[in-house]
Amino acid sequence: MSDLVFGLDTFGDVPEDDSGKPVSHAAAIRQVVDEAVLADDLGVDVIALGEHHRPEYSVSTPETVLAGIATRTSRIRLSSGVTVLSSDDPVRVFQRFATVDALSNGRAEVILGRGSFTESFPLFGYDLADYDVLFEERIELFAKLLDEQPVTWSGTTRAPLTDADVFPKTESGHLTTWVGVGGSPQSVVRTARYGLPLMLAIIGGAPERFAPYIDLYRRAADQLGTTAHPVGMHSPGFVADTDEEAKELFWPYYRVMRDRIGALRGWPPIRRQEFDSEVEHGSLYIGSPETVARRMAAAIKGLGVGRFDLIYTAGAQPVSARMRAVELYGSRVIPMVRDILAS
């Protein structure tokens, strides 16, 4: 199991300082950089930053923050999680991540997604009625750009390209590119069609329910004659010294965040009983290092994935608690998971 990859994901949630006061967006971004530096020191494989355009999150341009992290780290991979390709330009996305790749000596990755939040569409002048065609055309173009050769392409959502060369090139000639999928079979098949690795967003319910998507990905790749790469998964969680401390640090902030989003989507307020059930049986990996490692190992083994990213922020958890969560994840959880899976 030495080839397993372990990452940390964040949207740059705006935390509280240890006096209970929310920090500024600028301070929240600097906090993410500090957490990434600590993760690098501890041997975590990947830091992934998600793109959002909401007041509770500080990271709207993951690649900009990743560029800053690149200059203060030496080994950790630098990924988005995700880049909302539908409301961005594929050429500019490639250029920005190729630049991060240069700054980091080849450590950049991009995870492309359609976006589970839609604020970026009106913000950048896109019509939500074009939600599907925007992603379909833009991933088609992005896949061509990955060859790092002159591109000819035409579609309905941006200007055509004719023998257009895009710079900078990566030194390796390869920009690692995943597709993030939340549960759409069509998205799974699309990922297989382009021969790209699949990252599953498993944010609720038993992880085993996603096994059919992994099987679909592998069958589709086989039928389409492309490569089925090791599948990744990312799920929310939080690590503290004890199970009770982890739950009590996570729950009140998670409840506020979950109910704020739920109100926009027509969900009822979350109850503590639902939260506790999700922690015990679902896709919230919350607890002591031993508890989180045990549950992560079970999910990895049950689904046969090759990468697990923990979304370690979900609300305004205090700065010191977040740093401790990163420390415990890198120093204790990851080694424990490896030991469990090797036994």
Side-chain angles (χ1 to χ4, degrees):
M1 292 294 180
S2 60
D3 56 345
L4 273 172
V5 174
F6 293 93
L8 285 168
D9 286 12
T10 180
F11 307 141
D13 305 64
V14 176
E16 292 181 352
D17 63 24
D18 289 340
S19 69
K21 180 181 178 181
V23 307
S24 66
H25 284 96
I29 290 170
R30 293 191 291 269
Q31 178 63 30
V32 168
V33 175
D34 288 343
E35 289 159 3
V37 171
L38 176 59
D40 182 59
D41 291 341
L42 293 167
V44 178
D45 297 311
V46 186
I47 184 75
L49 309 184
E51 173 191 345
H52 283 287
H53 305 271
R54 297 175 54 85
E56 60 266 40
Y57 304 124
S58 66
V59 177
S60 60
T61 56
E63 58 273 34
T64 309
V65 185
L66 293 170
I69 294 170
T71 65
R72 292 185 55 192
T73 56
S74 60
R75 50 162 303 283
I76 196 166
R77 299 186 207 173
L78 309 171
S79 179
S80 61
V82 300
T83 293
V84 184
L85 187 65
S86 307
S87 56
D88 210 330
D89 182 83
V91 173
R92 293 295 284 147
V93 172
F94 179 87
Q95 289 176 323
R96 296 194 300 259
F97 277 90
T99 300
V100 175
D101 200 63
L103 291 169
S104 63
N105 291 301
R107 291 183 281 134
E109 298 184 355
V110 58
I111 303 178
L112 305 174
R114 295 194 297 173
S116 61
F117 290 80
T118 58
E119 288 83 3
S120 64
F121 289 81
L123 188 63
F124 300 123
Y126 294 102
D127 190 338
L128 278 170
D130 298 327
Y131 184 84
D132 291 323
V133 69
L134 280 164
F135 190 74
E136 188 67 64
E137 289 193 356
R138 288 169 190 229
I139 195 171
E140 178 188 45
L141 174 53
F142 199 89
K144 291 179 178 290
L145 295 168
L146 290 174
D147 292 333
E148 302 197 24
Q149 299 294 323
V151 169
T152 296
W153 177 92
S154 64
T156 63
T157 60
R158 79 175 306 281
L161 299 173
T162 302
D163 205 29
D165 218 352
V166 175
F167 304 98
K169 309 290 187 185
T170 62
E171 283 186 319
S172 68
H174 174 72
L175 176 64
T176 299
T177 301
W178 299 67
V179 179
V181 174
S184 162
Q186 294 83 1
S187 295
V188 172
V189 173
R190 182 193 296 113
T191 304
R193 186 194 318 148
Y194 290 110
L196 297 172
L198 174 69
M199 177 64 72
L200 290 170
I202 305 178
I203 60 174
E208 293 79 14
R209 68 193 179 93
F210 277 78
Y213 294 99
I214 297 175
D215 180 61
L216 174 62
Y217 171 68
R218 292 170 178 160
R219 287 189 290 110
D222 181 61
Q223 292 175 18
L224 293 165
T226 58
T227 300
H229 302 271
V231 173
M233 62 179 288
H234 80 167
S235 295
F238 200 75
V239 193
D241 289 285
T242 67
D243 288 351
E244 193 61 30
E245 181 186 11
K247 286 188 285 188
E248 294 313 310
L249 278 167
F250 194 85
W251 160 248
Y253 303 101
Y254 175 76
R255 178 178 59 81
V256 170
M257 181 272 297
R258 163 63 171 70
D259 286 349
R260 182 182 295 136
I261 294 169
L264 299 173
R265 300 184 177 184
W267 302 341
I270 189 170
R271 297 173 298 152
R272 180 61 190 253
Q273 182 181 1
E274 296 173 63
F275 170 77
D276 288 338
S277 177
E278 196 67 36
V279 170
E280 188 66 28
H281 306 292
S283 293
L284 285 178
Y285 297 81
I286 295 171
S288 67
E290 294 81 4
T291 296
V292 173
R294 172 178 52 80
R295 296 204 60 241
M296 282 176 54
I300 291 167
K301 184 176 181 180
L303 291 174
V305 297
R307 171 170 161 178
F308 188 107
D309 288 1
L310 186 75
I311 310 169
Y312 70 101
T313 61
Q317 286 85 14
V319 166
S320 60
R322 279 175 40 164
M323 290 292 278
R324 180 63 172 160
V326 172
E327 178 187 358
L328 291 171
Y329 183 76
S331 65
R332 297 183 60 188
V333 172
I334 292 174
M336 285 182 188
V337 175
R338 293 192 185 281
D339 289 344
I340 291 169
L341 292 172
S343 64

